[in-house]
Amino acid sequence: MTFGFASSSAASLSTSASAVSASRLLEPAEWAAAGIPLLRNPREVVSGLHARHYPKPLTAIVAVLDPDERLRASASFTRRPAPADGWMFRNALLAQLRRVIPHDLRRRTPVRTAVLLYCREGDARWTEEDGAWMWGLRDACTLHGLRCGAYITLTHEGWQVLGEGRGGRQPNAHSVPEPVATAEAPPLAPRTGGPVSDVLRRAAAR
């Protein structure tokens, strides 16, 4: 009797955990309705990030853009082989943002925008993994004082800005980086001097 009860409880907890994990994702319609700002030149942004980080499948790149869509900081990391979970993705993105650029939580309105490019296998159609990345990006931006920007997938078919229907064949998950001007972040003018400026300069040099 005890064994049967324990198994039932474990199954219930597992089902509950799966339900919570499933809720930490955004459907394409939810993402499109969230008012995500459109990139003026998505191909330039994608090509620049591709040239800087040369991502392979399972690589995520989070980048921070200023109001003029100039790259201020970016970081790439490899996704761990685990079930897709928006909360885990949020924590990973937040850790990278904190590493490369100071937060903007003191501002009343976010000025800078974070975008996420994720290189993966498969085709360009939305997956639950994409939905978990969207949830994670939105939450990480809120906690770091940034506007939530575009979520872009990079597959063997090319790149696509999910929720917008914009995309292209180059670059793709297996292409060689292009030598474009946006591959290098522009030099940053010190805003306040001191440690903050040092952090920004280090972030731009990554």
Side-chain angles (χ1 to χ4, degrees):
M1 291 293 291
T2 302
F3 179 78
F5 179 77
S7 297
S8 177
S9 297
S12 177
L13 288 173
S14 176
T15 302
S16 177
S18 298
V20 171
S21 177
S23 70
R24 291 193 289 251
L25 61 82
L26 294 176
E27 299 280 350
E30 294 176 295
W31 183 256
I36 305 300
L38 301 179
L39 290 170
R40 289 194 294 272
N41 193 335
R43 188 184 188 284
E44 186 174 284
V45 172
V46 172
S47 296
L49 294 178
H50 185 261
R52 280 177 64 87
H53 296 277
Y54 195 8
K56 298 296 183 181
L58 298 183
T59 300
I61 304 172
V62 61
V64 179
L65 309 178
D66 69 12
D68 294 322
E69 216 165 88
R70 290 176 298 188
L71 181 64
R72 287 309 181 193
S74 64
S76 63
F77 59 98
T78 303
R79 177 199 185 309
R80 293 181 179 179
D85 186 297
W87 184 77
M88 298 294 291
F89 291 167
R90 185 277 307 272
N91 290 345
L93 292 169
L94 192 57
Q96 296 298 323
L97 288 170
R98 287 171 173 166
R99 184 172 65 84
V100 299
I101 201 162
H103 67 73
D104 275 349
L105 294 172
R106 293 185 180 88
R107 294 182 178 274
R108 292 184 177 181
T109 303
V111 174
R112 297 181 294 190
T113 302
V115 300
L116 175 62
L117 185 150
Y118 181 54
C119 182
R120 62 169 172 78
E121 299 289 359
D123 56 36
R125 288 177 294 183
W126 180 89
T127 66
E128 288 192 355
E129 181 185 23
D130 294 325
W133 278 116
M134 290 171 167
W135 190 97
L137 176 62
R138 186 184 65 177
D139 219 39
C141 288
T142 299
L143 294 174
H144 206 65
L146 302 170
R147 286 201 309 171
C148 180
Y151 172 69
I152 307 159
T153 57
L154 191 69
T155 67
H156 71 279
E157 294 180 352
W159 59 271
Q160 178 174 311
V161 185
L162 265 67
E164 295 184 18
R166 293 191 292 175
R169 294 183 177 180
Q170 295 291 334
N172 59 59
H174 304 291
S175 62
V176 177
E178 299 177 12
V180 294
T182 51
E184 295 298 327
L188 297 174
R191 294 190 304 168
T192 58
V196 172
S197 295
D198 291 339
V199 171
L200 291 172
R201 282 194 291 271
R202 288 197 297 272
R206 292 181 187 277

